[in-house]
Amino acid sequence: MDGTKIVREQIPDDEFEVLEEEQLSGVNELKRFVRAFFRRKIVVVGFILVVVVLLTAALADVIAPYDPYEQDLYQVLAAPGPSHPLGTDALGRDLLSRIIHGSRIALAVGVCTVLVSASIGTVIGLIAGFSDSRLNSLIMRITDILISVPSLVLQLLIASALNSGVTGVVIAIGLTLFPAYIRLINGQVLSVKQNDYISASRSMGAKKSRIIVRHVVRNVVSPLIVMMTIMMGMSIMAEAGLSFLGLGILPPAAAWGSMCRDGYQYLMTRPLLSIAPGLAIMILVFAFNMVGDGLRDALDPKLRGALK
Amino acid sequence: MGGRAEAVITEKVEKGNTVDVVNLKMYFPVLRGLLKRKVADVKALDDVSFSIKPGETLGLVGESGCGKTTVGRCILRLYKPTKGVLLFEGTDISKVSESDLRQFRRRMALVFQDPYSSLDPRMNSCDIVGEPLKIHGLAGSRGEYRDRVAELFTMTGLRPDMMDRFPHEYSGGQRQRLSIARALAGAPSMIVCDEPISALDVSMQAQILNLLQELQSKNDRLSYLFISHDLLAVQYISQRVAVMYLGRIVELSTSQELYSNTLHPYSRALLSAQPLPDPAAEERRSRIILTGDVPTPLNPPSGCAFHPRCPMAKKSCAESRPELRDVGGDHLVACHCV
């Protein structure tokens, strides 16, 4: 036919478009990621705060001026001063040292809960996403029920049934937070499955395991990381809440939540006893949320190439 | 049903065809309610028969929703056909289990319409193109693997030094080349091209068509099933063309014969909708405007599925379904009026 012949003659075969060299080669994946991540100042602040807390936890023994459990009964409820920068509590323990050591518990609980809930939720979410529509709706309806139970009530129930301490708190919080991951992963799997590259892989003869590991998990990882970061903040909050109610990590352990509770009896005279650990919780949760926001921006493949 | 059509086709099932499809049916169940009960069937394909010879390109045209893509996906066994025979290089693969299918999958491939969703955004282009090599263990060492991928890049007009880039760093036309390179990796005898050019701009379309032809001229056993709604592109690239309407083939002939001696009223209407590049001819072009909408494959019309919209419909068209019959010169038409 005339039309197609004309088209063929007009365009020499060897001339196909090549994107400009600098446009392509300059974009190093890591560089792009870092640039996208630190694009917002608030994220930088959050990131620095997280790093500071991590360092504090790692170096707690070095930087804490006192042993957090050492009682100095001559210095009970001391006002902030040169020897005790934030004062002491009712048993004469140095508040600053206790807050510094408390970062260990907060991070340990945060990391463990996130790992527990994310792994349970991810596995169930993947199963749901890959099962037929009947099993999928069964799993998802059960998940809806789990999500609809107020998490504090469930945490109180589980925590009171288990021994208090880090393990009990991790299980209690982990078990209430994992349904959120099921929902996230299931949704992601269902949407990734729609992509032609999954059909392509199938048509090439890839086994299901290969498709799940190579294509689906890879494409589900970034929202999962974002979710885990934000969940860090939530678990730390939940731990503090449980400890405040006396069901989490019990004294004498230096948990921020139980420190708030111990301090609130002296709220009128020594408000810092409650406010300081409270602020520590707030700052850490805020920092994790900001890092989560930054990661969300940096990991979104739609923004790839958009930010130079 | 289908006795005669089957006879016509099976007579033609010569040995050595790449693909033979005989009376293929693909029904998708419609599930409703909490228990997902089946309430109806969508008859996406109803008695489709054709064959593709080695080195041949069969064009498949028809409007949206007529089952073109379903044909392609059935041939690749991405769907399990409800009924019918599907011979790939002489072996019936319509009922073969997924694990036994794997040996056939190397020799068939798929090129998609959407160059964006068909490439995994998190894989670099080397691993995308080399995926079939990995799946079928076709490359021994890392070096051999990269050499083989580089070869595929060159074959499809891509620069091998771009191998470590990610799909988002390529343009649409280049992505489609990646898709073709991937399709070629397993040295297939059959590539299903599902609207490979409709997402590209016109100059890219021509290049991709020429690339496909060039690859075929280098390997004269390579067959294409070229699915498109672009009639000119189909005419340009195909030796034979099948026209589909509502899950059935209504006309099947050589490209030349079909475009010059169009017999089925639906094919005529479809071809008349194609604008002509010559302005003078375009002025004279008379369009056959069809009335009404495409009926739903959930509940297709009785008799000839096209009769409610057909300008030539007779009484018998609503009563009995016309079968695909040879009207001479390898020209198959399913119409009572021809």
Side-chain angles (χ1 to χ4, degrees), chain A residues 188-204:
Chain A
Q188 290 293 322
V189 169
L190 291 183
S191 95
V192 169
K193 259 175 39 176
Q194 295 298 314
N195 282 310
D196 284 343
Y197 57 82
I198 301 293
S199 307
S201 205
R202 221 151 75 72
S203 77
M204 288 177 236

Side-chain angles (χ1 to χ4, degrees), chain B residues 102-231:
Chain B
R102 215 156 278 142
Q103 48 170 321
F104 297 101
R105 293 230 185 261
R106 186 178 68 78
R107 299 203 303 278
M108 40 169 113
L110 180 55
V111 174
F112 292 91
Q113 169 175 16
D114 180 356
Y116 291 88
S117 93
S118 60
L119 308 175
D120 188 336
R122 302 222 175 265
M123 272 193 171
N124 69 23
S125 49
C126 175
D127 286 338
I128 287 173
V129 171
E131 197 175 3
L133 301 175
K134 282 201 171 151
I135 290 171
H136 298 287
L138 298 175
S141 64
R142 182 82 194 149
E144 194 187 328
Y145 169 72
R146 286 186 68 92
D147 287 349
R148 188 80 191 89
V149 173
E151 207 179 295
L152 290 163
F153 267 63
T154 322
M155 258 163 93
T156 47
L158 290 160
R159 298 209 327 253
D161 58 317
M162 290 169 70
M163 245 160 66
D164 294 317
R165 292 184 182 169
F166 283 83
H168 69 268
E169 297 175 68
Y170 288 89
S171 70
Q174 287 173 321
R175 284 163 159 263
Q176 210 57 311
R177 285 171 193 270
L178 281 176
S179 217
I180 295 171
R182 170 175 67 187
L184 291 169
S189 51
M190 161 84 196
I191 299 181
V192 173
C193 305
D194 189 358
E195 310 239 13
I197 57 167
S198 43
L200 306 174
D201 57 44
V202 180
S203 66
M204 280 296 127
Q205 293 187 348
Q207 289 178 31
I208 295 296
L209 286 179
N210 290 340
L211 173 65
L212 288 171
Q213 281 200 330
E214 196 187 304
L215 294 168
Q216 208 169 32
S217 68
K218 283 181 193 157
N219 173 7
D220 57 4
R221 307 275 305 163
L222 179 62
S223 313
Y224 294 129
L225 175 66
F226 190 88
I227 301 168
S228 182
H229 54 246
D230 183 337
L231 298 163

Side-chain angles (χ1 to χ4, degrees), chain A residues 263-275:
Chain A
Y264 93 109
Q265 304 162 40
Y266 312 100
L267 207 55
M268 300 313 283
T269 48
R270 290 276 176 268
L272 216 51
L273 285 179
S274 277
I275 291 174

